[in-house]
C-alpha cells in the first residue's frame, strides 16, 4: 500500500466522520417560516475564569421546560464538555414577545445558596439557538450602600433576546440581562422569583454563509493582526540570524576541517588524532536502550503526522468557530488512523539497529504516549466526576474510545510494526564502527546534557512565545483562534529552528570527541516542550485568573501531556536533522 493510498483512505474516513457529526449536530437546512419553532438548547454553566469547570445547565435550580429532552451528542462534542438539553425559552421565528413569563417559583434556602455561590464565582451560561452560541451572566455582585465592606448578591430574572434574521434564516442572536430586574440573594431565606424574557427581531443584510464570522472578528482586527505579524517577523528574523550565523560558522569550520583532514591523510601517523573525524569508528555505534529510542521516534513521527493533518484540515476551513467538537473528533480519529505510522517507523528503525524483540518494541511504542495520557485522563476524569462537572466523560463515551483503541489503533500499530519489521531497509552508515568504543574525554559543565538542552530549547521557544499567549487564551479561555495560516507559519519556523540548533549542538559535541549524540540530539530537539511547560506556570499565575483544584489539575495535567507530545515530536525532528547532518559530513571525508 503506497503512501498516497494511505493518505487517500485517511481523508475519506475523516470526510465520513465529519458528515456524520454534521448530520447529528444540526437541523435540516436552517430555513424557517414565520412562527416556526427554532431549536434552542441550554448547554452549560460555570465560573467564567475556569473554562474546564463547567456543569449541566439544570444543576442550578432554573425553570424546567415542559418536556426536558437531551440532544444526542457526537464524540467530539462530549469530549468538549457539551451537554445540550431543551431550554426553558420558546423563541419562534420572527415572533416578538414582551415580558413573557418562563415560570414563577419559590427558591428554597438551599436553592438560594446555590445561586448565590454561582453569582459570587461569576458564573456564565451558554446556550445554542439554531446552532448559534450565545452567552450571558447569571447575576452581579455589588457593594452594600450602607456598609461598603459587605457585598450584595443579585440574580438576573429578565433576559432580553435580540435576534437578527435575513429572509428565512437566523443570522445572529444576543442575550442581555436587564440590570434593574434582579432578585436579592444575600440572605439565606426563601425568595419568590418570576423569571421573564423579551424577544426582539431585526432584519439584517448579512448573508447566512457569513453568520459565523462575528465569532472570529476579535482576533482579525487590525491591532491583533499587527501583533501576529510582529510575532512572525520576530520569528523570521530569529531564524534568519540563527541560520545565517550557524551556517557561516559551520561551513567555515567544516571547510577548514575538510582541508585539514585532507592534508593530514599524508602525515596521519605523525599527528595525534583530534576532532570529529577521529571518532568516525564510534559515531554510528547504536545507542543505549535502542528499543525505547525507536519507540520514541515512532511516537514522535506519529504526532508529527497528526499535527500536519490537523493543520491541513484547519487550513481548508473545517474548524470554523463553534463547530462543536470538530477538533476533538479529528484528534481522536487521526491519532487512531496514524498509529500504523508509529508502528512502521519504530519497528523499521529498531530492525535497522539490529534489535530482535520487536513485540516488546511495539508494546513500548503503543504505550509511550498513550500510557501517560491514559493515566492523566483517569485521574482528571475522577476529579471531574467528584465535582459532577461536564468534563467527566460518560461511561458510553469511554467505551467508544476503548473500542477505537482496541479495534483501530492497536491493529494498525501491529500491521505497521509487521511491515516495518519485514522491511529490507538497512541502517546507512557511511563509515565502519569499531569493535570497542573510544573513551570520551572529560567535558566542561556546559557541554553536559542539561545545559545543552537549555540552550537548544530557548531559541525555538523564543520564536513561538508571542503566539503561545493567543493559543493559551483560546484553549484555556474564551478567545477564538482562527488565524491558522499564521499558526502554520509559526509551526514551520519552530521546526526549522529546532532542526538547525540541534545540528549545531551535535557538531560541537562531535568536535569535542563525544560520540554519544543519538539520545543527546533527541533530548535537545525535544527540550522546547520543557520550555512550553515552564510557560504554563507563567501563564497560570500571571496571565489568567484560573483557580480551584479541578481547574488547576486539568490545566497542568493536560498541558503536561501536550508538552510531552511536543517533546516527542520535536525530539524526532531534531534527531532526524542531526542524523542527516552526521551522515553527510562523514560521507564527505575519506576514512581508512
Amino acid at each position: 500500500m503506497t503512501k498516497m493510498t494511505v493518505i487517500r483512505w485517511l481523508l475519506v474516513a475523516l470526510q465520513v466522520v465529519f458528515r456524520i457529526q454534521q448530520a447529528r449536530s444540526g437541523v435540516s437546512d436552517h430555513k424557517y417560516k414565520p412562527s416556526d419553532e427554532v431549536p434552542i438548547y441550554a448547554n452549560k454553566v460555570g465560573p467564567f475564569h475556569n473554562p474546564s469547570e463547567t456543569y449541566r445547565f439544570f444543576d442550578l435550580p432554573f425553570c424546567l421546560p415542559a418536556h426536558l429532552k437531551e440532544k444526542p451528542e457526537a464524540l467530539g462534542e462530549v469530549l468538549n464538555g457539551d451537554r445540550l438539553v431543551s431550554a426553558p425559552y420558546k423563541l419562534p421565528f420572527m415572533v416578538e414577545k414582551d415580558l413573557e413569563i418562563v415560570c414563577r417559583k419559590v427558591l428554597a434556602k438551599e436553592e438560594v445558596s446555590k445561586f448565590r455561590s454561582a453569582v459570587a464565582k461569576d458564573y456564565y451560561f451558554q446556550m445554542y439557538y439554531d446552532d448559534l452560541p450565545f452567552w450571558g451572566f447569571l447575576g452581579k455582585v455589588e457593594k452594600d450602600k450602607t456598609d461598603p465592606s459587605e457585598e450584595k448578591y443579585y440574580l438576573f430574572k429578565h433576559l432580553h433576546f435580540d435576534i437578527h434574521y435575513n429572509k428565512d434564516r437566523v443570522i445572529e442572536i444576543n442575550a442581555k440581562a436587564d440590570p434593574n430586574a434582579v432578585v436579592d440573594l444575600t440572605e439565606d431565606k426563601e425568595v419568590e422569583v418570576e423569571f421573564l424574557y423579551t424577544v426582539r427581531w431585526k432584519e439584517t443584510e448579512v448573508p447566512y454563509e457569513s453568520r459565523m464570522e462575528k465569532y472570529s472578528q476579535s482576533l482579525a482586527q487590525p491591532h491583533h493582526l499587527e501583533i501576529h505579524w510582529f510575532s512572525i517577523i520576530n520569528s523570521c528574523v530569529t531564524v534568519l540570524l540563527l541560520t545565517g550565523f550557524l551556517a557561516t560558522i559551520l561551513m567555515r569550520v567544516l571547510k577548514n576541517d575538510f582541508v585539514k583532514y585532507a592534508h593530514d591523510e599524508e602525515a596521519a601517523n605523525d599527528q595525534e588524532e583530534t576532532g570529529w573525524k577521529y571518532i568516525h569508528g564510534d559515531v554510528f555505534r547504536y545507542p543505549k536502550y535502542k528499543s525505547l529510542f525507536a519507540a520514541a521516534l515512532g511516537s514522535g513521527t506519529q504526532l508529527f503526522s497528526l499535527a500536519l493533518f490537523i493543520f491541513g484540515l484547519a487550513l481548508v476551513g473545517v474548524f470554523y468557530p463553534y463547530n462543536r467538537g470538530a477538533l476533538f473528533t479529528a484528534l481522536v480519529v487521526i491519532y487512531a488512523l496514524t498509529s500504523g505510522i508509529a508502528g512502521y517507523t519504530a519497528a523499521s528503525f529498531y530492525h535497522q539497529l539490529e534489535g530482535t524483540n520487536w513485540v516488546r518494541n511495539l508494546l513500548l511504542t503503543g504505550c509511550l504516549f498513550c500510557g501517560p495520557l491514559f493515566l492523566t485522563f483517569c485521574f482528571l476524569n475522577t476529579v471531574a466526576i467528584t465535582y459532577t462537572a461536564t468534563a467527566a466523560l460518560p461511561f458510553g463515551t469511554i467505551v467508544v474510545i476503548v473500542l477505537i483503541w482496541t479495534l483501530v489503533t492497536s491493529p494498525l500499530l501491529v500491521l505497521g510494526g509487521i511491515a516495518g519489521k519485514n522491511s529490507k531497509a538497512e541502517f546507512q552508515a557511511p563509515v565502519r564502527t569499531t569493535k570497542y568504543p573510544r573513551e570520551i574525554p572529560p567535558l566542561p559543565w556546559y557541554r553536559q546534557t542539561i545545559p545543552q538542552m537549555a540552550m537548544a530549547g530557548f531559541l525555538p521557544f523564543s520564536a513561538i512565545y508571542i503566539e503561545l499567549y493567543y493559543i493559551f487564551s483560546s484553549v484555556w479561555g474564551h478567545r477564538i483562534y482562527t488565524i491558522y495560516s499564521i499558526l502554520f507559519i509559526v509551526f514551520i519556523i519552530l521546526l526549522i529552528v529546532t532542526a538547525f540548533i540541534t545540528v549545531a549542538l551535535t557538531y560541537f559535541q562531535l568536535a569535542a570527541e563525544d560520540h554519544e549524540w543519538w539520545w543527546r540530539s533527541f533530548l535537545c530537539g525535544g527540550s522546547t516542550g520543557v520550555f512550553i511547560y515552564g510557560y504554563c506556570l507563567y501563564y497560570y499565575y500571571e496571565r489568567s485568573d484560573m483557580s480551584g483544584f479541578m481547574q488547576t489539575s486539568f490545566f497542568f495535567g493536560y498541558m503536561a501531556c501536550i508538552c510531552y507530545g511536543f517533546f516527542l515530536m520535536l525530539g524526532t525532528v531534531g534527531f532526524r536533522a542531526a542524523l542527516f547532518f552526521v551522515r553527510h559530513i562523514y560521507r564527505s571525508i575519506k576514512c581508512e
Side-chain angles (χ1 to χ4, degrees):
M1 187 179 287
T2 64
K3 289 183 178 179
M4 288 304 297
T5 307
V6 172
I7 293 172
R8 194 177 296 117
W9 274 106
L10 275 170
L11 293 175
V12 169
L14 285 169
Q15 191 175 19
V16 170
V17 168
F18 286 121
R19 280 181 178 174
I20 292 172
Q21 177 161 323
Q22 287 171 358
R24 295 185 63 181
S25 64
V27 293
S28 55
D29 56 359
H30 300 275
K31 290 184 178 180
Y32 306 98
K33 297 176 182 177
S35 301
D36 278 358
E37 289 293 332
V38 183
I40 177 170
Y41 292 98
N43 187 11
K44 51 193 175 185
V45 294
F48 182 76
H49 298 295
N50 289 357
S52 299
E53 187 184 342
T54 55
Y55 305 94
R56 291 176 180 270
F57 185 80
F58 290 110
D59 283 353
L60 291 175
F62 289 109
C63 300
L64 289 169
H67 302 286
L68 187 63
K69 181 183 176 182
E70 292 194 2
K71 184 178 184 294
E73 300 287 351
L75 173 62
E77 294 169 339
V78 177
L79 293 175
N80 196 39
D82 291 338
R83 304 291 187 271
L84 273 66
V85 295
S86 307
Y89 306 100
K90 297 291 184 184
L91 309 179
F93 189 68
M94 292 182 64
V95 175
E96 295 198 344
K97 296 184 178 182
D98 279 306
L99 299 175
E100 186 80 7
I101 298 175
V102 184
C103 75
R104 293 187 181 94
K105 67 183 300 184
V106 176
L107 297 178
K109 290 182 180 180
E110 296 78 11
E111 294 175 326
V112 169
S113 178
K114 274 187 177 182
F115 271 127
R116 184 172 62 244
S117 175
V119 171
K121 293 177 182 177
D122 211 16
Y123 267 42
Y124 72 99
F125 66 81
Q126 184 190 46
M127 295 188 189
Y128 282 88
Y129 182 69
D130 192 39
D131 279 346
L132 289 171
F134 63 96
W135 304 262
F137 287 96
L138 301 188
K140 61 180 180 179
V141 181
E142 291 183 350
K143 296 288 185 184
D144 192 332
K145 294 179 181 178
T146 57
D147 185 1
S149 62
E150 297 292 328
E151 292 182 328
K152 305 280 282 185
Y153 301 92
Y154 297 103
L155 175 69
F156 296 134
K157 64 177 183 178
H158 182 200
L159 267 184
H160 191 107
F161 295 100
D162 285 318
I163 308 174
H164 295 196
Y165 70 97
N166 187 345
K167 296 178 181 177
D168 55 355
R169 293 179 184 266
V170 177
I171 303 300
E172 183 180 343
I173 181 171
N174 296 296
K176 295 182 292 184
D178 184 349
N180 299 315
V182 294
V183 180
D184 192 346
L185 304 176
T186 308
E187 298 179 8
D188 274 325
K189 64 180 182 180
E190 289 187 352
V191 176
E192 185 175 352
V193 187
E194 185 179 59
F195 289 99
L196 308 166
Y197 67 103
T198 298
V199 185
R200 291 286 179 268
W201 287 83
K202 298 176 184 176
E203 192 169 7
T204 180
E205 297 298 322
V206 177
Y208 173 79
E209 293 74 18
S210 304
R211 69 177 191 161
M212 285 292 181
E213 289 182 0
K214 80 160 200 169
Y215 299 107
S216 56
Q217 282 176 353
S218 60
L219 276 181
Q221 290 174 355
H223 171 67
H224 289 286
L225 282 177
E226 284 177 10
I227 295 175
H228 286 287
W229 283 113
F230 172 76
S231 169
I232 287 187
I233 293 170
N234 169 64
S235 302
C236 287
V237 169
T238 303
V239 171
L240 289 174
L241 289 176
L242 175 69
T243 52
F245 176 68
L246 292 180
T248 303
I249 291 178
L250 286 180
M251 290 304 102
R252 179 173 293 180
V253 170
L254 283 172
K255 184 178 178 181
N256 292 338
D257 286 347
F258 288 140
V259 171
K260 172 178 175 290
Y261 294 145
H263 287 303
D264 285 353
E265 288 294 329
E266 302 172 1
N269 296 328
D270 301 328
Q271 294 188 7
E272 184 181 355
E273 295 185 345
T274 58
W276 56 266
K277 182 201 169 188
Y278 297 107
I279 57 170
H280 63 83
D282 298 279
V283 75
F284 291 106
R285 190 178 305 281
Y286 298 148
K288 299 176 182 177
Y289 314 112
K290 54 189 176 184
S291 181
L292 177 62
F293 190 79
L297 286 182
S299 297
T301 306
Q302 180 187 7
L303 293 171
F304 180 67
S305 305
L306 172 66
L308 291 181
F309 275 110
I310 291 295
F311 272 117
L313 292 173
L315 292 173
V316 298
V318 172
F319 306 132
Y320 58 83
Y322 296 102
N323 181 5
R324 296 195 310 279
L327 178 59
F328 287 104
T329 302
L331 286 171
V332 171
V333 173
I334 297 175
Y335 185 83
L337 294 176
T338 54
S339 58
I341 296 175
Y344 178 84
T345 306
S348 175
F349 199 79
Y350 186 59
H351 175 70
Q352 292 178 38
L353 298 182
E354 300 176 5
T356 54
N357 197 343
W358 68 277
V359 175
R360 186 182 67 177
N361 176 248
L362 274 186
L363 289 173
L364 196 56
T365 305
C367 297
L368 195 62
F369 181 72
C370 281
L373 181 63
F374 176 73
L375 293 175
T376 304
F377 163 75
C378 288
F379 171 72
L380 295 179
N381 204 55
T382 304
V383 172
I385 290 172
T386 305
Y387 276 72
T388 65
T390 59
L393 294 191
F395 179 73
T397 305
I398 296 175
V399 170
V400 169
I401 293 175
V402 170
L403 286 175
I404 291 174
W405 192 85
T406 307
L407 302 178
V408 180
T409 307
S410 298
L412 287 177
L413 180 72
V414 173
L415 288 174
I418 293 172
K421 169 183 171 289
N422 295 327
S423 65
K424 304 298 182 182
E426 295 183 357
F427 187 77
Q428 301 296 321
V431 292
R432 294 179 187 173
T433 300
T434 56
K435 187 174 182 181
Y436 300 104
R438 179 189 294 263
E439 184 179 355
I440 299 173
L443 299 172
W445 66 270
Y446 56 85
R447 288 192 182 273
Q448 302 300 320
T449 302
I450 300 299
Q452 293 285 293
M453 286 178 65
M455 284 189 278
F458 176 74
L459 279 172
F461 174 77
S462 67
I464 64 169
Y465 81 97
I466 295 177
E467 206 65 25
L468 275 182
Y469 170 73
Y470 291 97
I471 298 170
F472 274 59
S473 298
S474 175
V475 176
W476 300 105
H478 300 281
R479 283 178 179 265
I480 310 297
Y481 195 100
T482 55
I483 315 177
Y484 300 115
S485 54
I486 289 181
L487 186 60
F488 184 64
I489 295 172
V490 172
F491 179 70
I492 297 298
I493 291 172
L494 172 65
L495 298 180
I496 294 172
V497 178
T498 299
F500 218 98
I501 194 67
T502 307
V503 165
L505 290 176
T506 301
Y507 169 76
F508 293 127
Q509 181 182 355
L510 296 178
E513 299 183 26
D514 181 356
H515 53 78
E516 294 181 349
W517 62 275
W518 298 67
W519 274 109
R520 178 75 66 82
S521 63
F522 188 93
L523 294 173
C524 286
S527 60
T528 305
V530 180
F531 275 83
I532 295 175
Y533 199 68
Y535 181 82
C536 292
L537 294 168
Y538 166 75
Y539 181 84
Y540 181 86
Y541 290 107
E542 297 296 331
R543 304 301 295 270
S544 80
D545 294 310
M546 291 184 278
S547 60
F549 177 73
M550 178 182 165
Q551 182 63 42
T552 303
S553 58
F554 264 67
F555 179 76
F556 287 108
Y558 280 127
M559 282 311 302
C561 293
I562 292 171
C563 293
Y564 175 54
F566 266 93
F567 174 81
L568 293 173
M569 181 182 70
L570 295 177
T572 300
V573 171
F575 169 74
R576 290 293 185 185
L579 178 62
F580 175 82
F581 170 76
V582 173
R583 278 177 174 162
H584 177 73
I585 62 172
Y586 281 95
R587 194 180 287 121
S588 302
I589 63 171
K590 179 182 177 183
C591 295
E592 59 281 344

